[in-house]
Amino acid sequence: MIDRPLYLQRILSFQNSGLIKVITGMRRSGKSSLLLLYRDWLRNQGIAKEEIVYINFESLSNEEWTDYKKLYEAITAISKERKRKIFLLFCLRRLF
């Protein structure tokens, strides 16, 4: 994976803003790779693996999470169980 320090720094500058961050761009431009770089950065900062929820909705192994009710219930359960801030990292393709 190619290191993208400039793009990663831009994401980090908004990390504690309380807003949802959305990474957009052309197809095959590295959005998913950037998200994985951010996940790795979080792990290197001491964030436990259990506090990072990474779901790639394009993978058939995650098809069950396309039902928003199941996803909501799972995320709510994880949040209650951890009792700490959790990071939700979702990869999905544009639907329109």
Side-chain angles (χ1 to χ4, degrees):
M1 186 176 332
I2 298 173
D3 194 24
R4 302 285 189 198
L6 177 65
Y7 295 134
L8 184 58
Q9 193 57 47
R10 285 190 178 174
I11 292 172
L12 295 175
S13 69
F14 293 102
Q15 183 174 357
N16 294 314
S17 68
L19 301 172
I20 294 173
K21 285 58 146 191
V22 178
I23 301 170
T24 63
M26 292 177 37
R27 187 169 187 266
R28 311 246 344 127
S29 62
K31 300 175 297 292
S32 297
S33 296
L34 184 58
L35 202 56
L36 291 173
L37 285 172
Y38 181 60
R39 182 190 64 182
D40 293 346
W41 182 87
L42 289 170
R43 292 286 294 128
N44 290 335
Q45 298 303 307
I47 304 296
K49 184 168 54 171
E50 297 78 22
E51 294 169 1
I52 302 170
V53 177
Y54 175 84
I55 301 174
N56 182 347
F57 288 101
E58 292 184 353
S59 173
L60 288 177
S61 64
N62 294 321
E63 186 177 17
E64 67 181 291
W65 303 120
T66 58
D67 178 340
Y68 75 94
K69 289 181 183 178
K70 287 183 181 178
L71 179 64
Y72 176 80
E73 290 170 3
I75 297 300
T76 302
I78 291 169
S79 180
K80 287 179 181 177
E81 181 182 305
R82 301 291 184 258
K83 296 186 171 116
R84 290 189 60 188
K85 181 178 182 174
I86 59 171
F87 294 84
L88 305 175
L89 308 177
F90 299 149
C91 283
L92 53 114
R93 63 184 166 91
R94 196 169 172 186
L95 301 174
F96 49 89

